[in-house]
């Protein structure tokens, strides 16, 4: 293990399984990371030097191609296994690794009918070296990951390929399993609903595909199963005594090597909130208390009794608001809770009424409130808001109240992934957050060259005064592109509500289309895969079908390819680029355009004054000037990215403090 570039003091000694020892970085270390990944790295051309090294490695692999092709299947697999001692002895040096890559590429062409491009060889080398490979959307990240996965598995490292949802984990494992099986490597997938023994068996394979949430909660369940013995203090004592007989079998074998697909989504977008393993307990919150709080909240006036902070999703009661609550409570019945508790309930009710809206932040499915992930547009069935907010929203929607959640264990993605001995990632959009990923996870970002030149045509953005005007403009564009020219159109919306609004406009015009949002996410992959057929119109919430290729139908390329319409700018330019990148994949033609409104939430919440001023100008001109829209977008997205970055850093600091307190008290995470 140490031959693979690990230092002895990096390992967590005395732990139930191997993982990197987590040490709080000193201020000098934090400053060095900030400078290196923020300014010095790009200044000295660090990314370019890695690209040059990767191209040299790629040439080495190509020189071995003929030799690998001359081997029969048995000899190919035998030659691959014979490289294991060299990898374990020398680590991932260029010579044995290039030989592994050449053999894996040859086997893939025989077993899967696919052959790794040079760009995928470069990406695989970067992943094996502990980098985040930025590959354009559609460049074959999933296939590229088989190269480092096979090599690391041969070296004896349990490999975790981490994806953003269960569907992709199961799909990728099934598609790539024949390649792993060719070399005698076991490949499994972990998905929601599996029992603990089934999960243990899946992780026992050399390569395991799993979603980030499933893996994280399996780790937390292992920590919870250890109980007090999860703390370093207890583990150190037990290691001295040699007493491990009473251990419950753990699910994971350790945090050895991880390849994180869609890494920006996992490392950045989903890292704003900690992962909490909880259990449901009886709650003292009653329907009558929630109803009373909602009724009182409905009698309060904004600005006078409470202040809204939409960007941070917070409500603050003013002194006048607290006095009004006391006054209203005095007029009620004697069954009401204490004034302080009532004020807290009313504050939660105000959040439920003003800051969390149906079909935007959550949906109601089968009589249950399901949170919608803002970064993916998918429901999160096992998630719930804390501190009684979830029950308040349930009361607001008139569904049965669920029990209160009691925390058993918690951890942030930042701390979890830094515990891997080797960590790497791949995504189509990482440049904008390269500095933060470098500082937090220690991963340098390397841009992988395109396999074929891009043929994307990006049309100038349009900005209308109001949402109704925007939807009409979108419908006009669909009429022109899909119906008149026979090209497929993908319409990206930010919320479920927005997808239903544009759907209603399209229906009123008699335009056939498919709607894909959080309410139909079971069929998202199939629907998105058919989005490239001639004249097909697909309406999809944010990032639906991420990881699914849109194959162009017959004759579509000659007509200009897939056209993508972005109907609302997202919180980050990265997510905008992901949606636009659904078009013009692998050298195909395609086009994209943003058609937005000045009343979109991003603008009204994070740059309201400039949006209002541009609104007056737009009323006279019909559409906002391009320079004004560009400035508005930069200000709004810059502010929300700053807020989200602060939230991530705050969560990490709080997680560290809690870990120190729990460790000192002898409790686990």
């Amino acid at each position: 293990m140490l031959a693979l570039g690990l230092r002895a003091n990096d390992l967590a000694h005395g732990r139930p399984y191997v993982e990197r020892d987590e040490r709080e970085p000193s201020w000098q270390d934090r400053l060095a990371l900030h400078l290196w990944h923020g300014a010095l790295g790009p200044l000295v051309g660090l990314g370019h030097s890695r690209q040059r090294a990767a191209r040299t490695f790629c040439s080495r692999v190509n020189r071995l191609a003929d030799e690998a092709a001359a081997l029969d299947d048995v000899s190919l697999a035998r030659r691959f296994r014979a490289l294991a001692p060299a990898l374990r002895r020398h680590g991932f040096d260029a010579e044995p690794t290039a030989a592994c890559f050449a053999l894996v590429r040859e086997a893939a062409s025989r077993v899967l009918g696919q052959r790794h491009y040079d760009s995928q060889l470069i990406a695989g080398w970067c992943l094996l070296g502990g980098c985040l490979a930025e590959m354009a959307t559609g460049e074959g990240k999933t296939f590229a990951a088989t190269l480092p996965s096979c090599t690391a598995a041969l070296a004896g490292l349990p490999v975790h390929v981490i994806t953003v949802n269960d569907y992709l984990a199961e799909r990728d494992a099934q598609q790539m399993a024949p390649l792993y099986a060719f070399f005698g490597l076991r490949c499994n997938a972990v998905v929601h609903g599996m029992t603990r023994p089934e999960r243990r068996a899946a992780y026992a394979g050399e390569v395991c595909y799993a979603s980030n949430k499933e893996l994280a909660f399996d780790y937390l369940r292992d920590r919870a199963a250890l109980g007090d013995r999860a703390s370093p203090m207890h583990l150190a004592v037990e290691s001295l005594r040699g007493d491990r007989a009473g251990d419950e079998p753990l699910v994971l074998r350790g945090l050895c090597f991880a390849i994180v697909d869609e890494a920006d989504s996992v490392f950045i977008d989903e890292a704003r909130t900690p992962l909490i393993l909880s259990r449901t307990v009886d709650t003292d919150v009653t329907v009558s208390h929630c109803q009373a709080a909602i009724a009182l909240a409905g009698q309060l006036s904004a600005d006078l009794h409470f202040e809204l902070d939409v960007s941070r999703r917070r409500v603050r009661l003013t002194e006048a608001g607290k006095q009004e609550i006391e006054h209203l409570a005095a007029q009620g019945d004697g069954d009401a809770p204490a004034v302080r508790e009532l004020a807290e309930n009313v504050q939660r009710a105000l959040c439920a009424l003003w800051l969390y809206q149906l079909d935007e932040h959550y949906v109601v499915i089968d009589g249950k409130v399901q949170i919608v992930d803002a970064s993916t547009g998918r429901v999160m069935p096992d998630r719930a808001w804390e501190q009684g907010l979830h029950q308040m929203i349930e009361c607001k929607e008139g569904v049965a109240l669920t029990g209160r959640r009691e925390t058993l264990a918690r951890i942030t993605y930042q701390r979890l992934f830094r515990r891997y001995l080797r960590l790497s990632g791949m995504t189509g959009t990482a440049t904008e957050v390269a500095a933060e990923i470098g500082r937090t996870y220690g991963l340098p970002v390397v841009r992988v060259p395109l396999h074929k030149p891009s043929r994307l045509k990006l049309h100038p953005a349009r900005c209308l005064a109001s949402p109704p005007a925007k939807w009409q403009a979108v419908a006009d564009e669909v009429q022109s592109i899909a119906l008149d020219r026979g090209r497929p159109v993908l319409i990206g919306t930010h919320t479920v509500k927005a997808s239903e609004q544009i759907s209603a406009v399209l229906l009123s015009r008699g335009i056939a289309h498919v709607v894909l949002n959080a309410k139909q996410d079971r069929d998202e992959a199939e629907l998105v895969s058919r989005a490239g057929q001639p004249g097909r119109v697909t309406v999809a919430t944010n990032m639906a079908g991420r990881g699914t290729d849109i194959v162009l139908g017959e004759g579509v390329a000659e007509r200009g390819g897939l056209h993508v319409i972005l109907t609302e700018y997202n919180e980050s330019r990265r997510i905008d680029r992901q949606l636009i990148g659904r078009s013009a994949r692998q050298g195909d033609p395609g086009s994209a355009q943003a058609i937005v409104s000045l009343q979109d939430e991003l603008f009204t919440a994070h740059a309201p004054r400039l949006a209002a001023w541009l609104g007056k100008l737009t009323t006279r001109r019909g559409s906002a000037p391009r320079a004004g829209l560009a400035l508005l977008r930069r200000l709004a997205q810059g502010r929300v990215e700053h807020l989200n970055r602060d939230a991530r850093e705050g969560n990490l600091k709080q997680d560290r403090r809690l870990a120190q307190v729990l460790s000192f008290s002898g409790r686990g995470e």
Side-chain angles (χ1 to χ4, degrees), residues 520-567:
Q520 296 94 21
D521 63 350
R522 294 178 182 176
D523 303 321
E524 73 169 38
E526 181 182 358
L527 293 173
V528 169
S529 66
R530 296 202 303 262
Q533 298 303 309
R536 189 177 180 87
V537 179
T538 305
V539 179
T541 47
N542 199 17
M543 298 319 303
R546 190 171 184 172
T548 304
D549 283 332
I550 299 178
V551 180
L552 299 184
E554 186 177 354
V556 170
E558 291 76 13
R559 299 170 190 168
L562 175 70
H563 182 65
V564 172
I565 301 177
L566 189 151
T567 62

Side-chain angles (χ1 to χ4, degrees), residues 39 188 341 382 416 457 555 580 607 621 645:
N188 304 306
E341 182 182 350
D382 297 323
L416 171 64
K457 293 182 179 179
I580 292 172
R621 297 183 43 164
R645 184 167 58 250

Side-chain angles (χ1 to χ4, degrees), residues 208-272:
C208 183
Y209 286 76
S211 72
N212 51 301
K213 293 183 178 66
E214 291 298 319
L215 184 135
F217 283 115
D218 281 336
Y219 180 81
L220 286 178
R221 290 186 192 101
D222 277 354
R223 306 289 294 186
L226 288 167
D228 289 342
R229 292 176 293 120
S231 72
M233 182 190 303
H234 283 79
L235 289 169
V237 172
E238 287 193 359
S239 65
L240 291 174
R241 295 190 315 179
D243 181 16
R244 292 289 176 86
D247 280 356
E248 177 183 342
L250 301 178
V251 168
L252 290 164
R253 290 197 289 154
L255 304 182
C256 294
F257 181 48
I259 300 174
V260 183
D261 196 5
E262 307 295 359
D264 63 322
S265 177
V266 177
F267 290 159
I268 300 298
D269 298 328
E270 299 197 37
R272 282 177 285 178

